[in-house]
Amino acid sequence: QVNEEISVKHLPATEPDPHVVRVGWSLDSCSTQLGEEPFSYGYGGTGRKSTNAKFETYGETFAENDVIACLLDFECGEEVEMSFLKNGKWLGVAFRVRKESLGGQALFPHVLVKNCAVEFNFGQREAPYCPLPPGFSLIQHLPLAQRVRGTRGPKSKAECEILMMVGLPAAGKTTWAVKHAAANPSKKYNILGTNAIMDKMRVMGLRRQRNYAGRWDVLIQQATQCLNRLIQIAARKRRNYILDQV
C-alpha cells in the first residue's frame, strides 16, 4: 500500500515523476534497481512494466492510497506468470518467464521507492488490504520448507569488508569494482561513489546526463551530497562495501 507521497519541494519543477513506487520480483543476485536488469520484473506507478531496462505500457498508473498486489503463478505449465492487482482489480499478465531459464532459483519480492512511504502485507495482517484471487496464498502462509532464504549479510562489524579503490581518474577503478562485485555475488558489495549513484538515478532506464544538458555541475553536486549521506548510513549497517571515489 502506498501510504504517502513525501514532500519534494527541494526538487526542481522539471523533475520527471518525483514520486515512484515500483513493485515486483527479482532473483537474489539482482541489484536494487528493480526491472532494470535480467531476471528482475517490476510494475511502476507510471503505468509501465519493465525488465532488463525495457519499459512498456502496462496496467494503470497508481499513487497515494492505492494497493498493489503482486501475483506469481507457478502452476501454468512450463512458465511462471507474473501479474498485478490494483485495488483488487486484475491488470492482466505482465510477464511470462520459462521455468528452465530461472534454473531453479527463487524469485524474491522486490520494491523500489522514490519519495514515497509504503507498507507491506506478506500475511502478517489479520485481513489482506483487498481480496485475493482464488488459488493464491500470501507468502507468509507458505510452509517454511517451500521458502528459500535470501543471502545473509555479515553477522558482525568484524566480518564486514571495505575495499577502497585508489588510482587516477579514468584508470579503471570503477570497471574493476563492478567486475569484482559481479564475480563475488555472495558478498553483496555496495559500491559507494558518485558514478554508482548517478547510475541509480536513471529515469525510465536512461542515464541522467541526457536530461541535464549544460547542468552537469548540478548533477555532480547532488550526487556528492547523496554520497556523503550514504557514507554516514553505511557506517551504521553491517554490509560489504567498495568505496569507489576519487
Side-chain angles (χ1 to χ4, degrees):
Q1 181 174 41
V2 184
N3 285 352
E4 180 188 2
E5 293 184 347
I6 297 165
S7 172
V8 287
K9 293 176 183 175
H10 61 290
L11 291 179
T14 54
E15 174 67 23
D17 304 315
H19 300 96
V20 174
V21 175
R22 195 183 297 163
V23 291
W25 308 89
S26 294
L27 296 184
D28 187 41
S29 56
C30 292
S31 76
T32 55
Q33 297 303 107
L34 173 59
E36 296 185 18
E37 56 192 89
F39 302 111
S40 184
Y41 308 91
Y43 161 48
T46 55
R48 290 173 179 266
K49 64 177 183 177
S50 64
T51 182
N52 201 15
K54 295 181 176 69
F55 289 78
E56 299 176 27
T57 300
Y58 169 80
E60 304 171 0
T61 59
F62 63 88
E64 198 171 75
N65 299 320
D66 285 328
V67 173
I68 304 299
C70 308
L71 307 180
L72 266 183
D73 186 352
F74 285 94
E75 299 176 356
C76 46
E78 297 299 309
E79 296 179 320
V80 178
E81 281 188 357
M82 303 179 204
S83 56
F84 299 87
L85 303 177
K86 176 187 171 183
N87 301 326
K89 174 188 172 185
W90 191 60
L91 301 175
V93 175
F95 304 102
R96 287 186 174 89
V97 184
R98 291 191 63 78
K99 290 177 182 175
E100 63 181 7
S101 70
L102 295 174
Q105 298 175 91
L107 288 160
F108 288 80
H110 191 164
V111 61
L112 183 147
V113 180
K114 180 179 171 185
N115 303 317
C116 290
V118 296
E119 188 176 325
F120 306 99
N121 176 32
F122 295 115
Q124 75 277 16
R125 289 173 58 94
E126 287 187 19
Y129 297 113
C130 295
L132 296 176
F136 284 90
S137 303
L138 290 160
I139 277 187
Q140 200 163 310
H141 296 163
L142 282 175
L144 276 173
Q146 293 182 26
R147 301 186 223 167
V148 175
R149 188 182 183 95
T151 302
R152 294 190 187 216
K155 291 180 182 176
S156 66
K157 282 278 185 83
E159 291 183 15
C160 297
E161 226 177 77
I162 300 178
L163 306 180
M164 186 167 75
M165 307 307 300
V166 179
L168 293 170
K173 299 184 300 302
T174 299
T175 301
W176 188 93
V178 170
K179 284 184 177 178
H180 186 73
N184 296 274
S186 63
K187 295 279 189 180
K188 288 272 184 185
Y189 283 111
N190 289 266
I191 299 177
L192 301 178
T194 48
N195 275 345
I197 287 170
M198 286 189 284
D199 201 48
K200 288 177 165 53
M201 290 168 66
R202 293 170 183 259
V203 179
M204 303 302 286
L206 299 177
R207 287 177 67 87
R208 283 271 168 156
Q209 283 89 321
R210 301 186 188 185
N211 305 338
Y212 271 72
R215 293 185 294 149
W216 181 246
D217 55 330
V218 176
L219 186 57
I220 286 289
Q221 185 181 4
Q222 287 188 340
T224 303
Q225 290 172 348
C226 290
L227 176 62
N228 291 337
R229 182 76 183 107
L230 277 179
I231 289 173
Q232 292 174 1
I233 295 170
R236 301 196 300 269
K237 302 285 185 182
R238 293 197 300 273
R239 301 281 193 279
N240 296 315
Y241 297 104
I242 298 178
L243 186 58
D244 177 30
Q245 187 65 17
V246 176

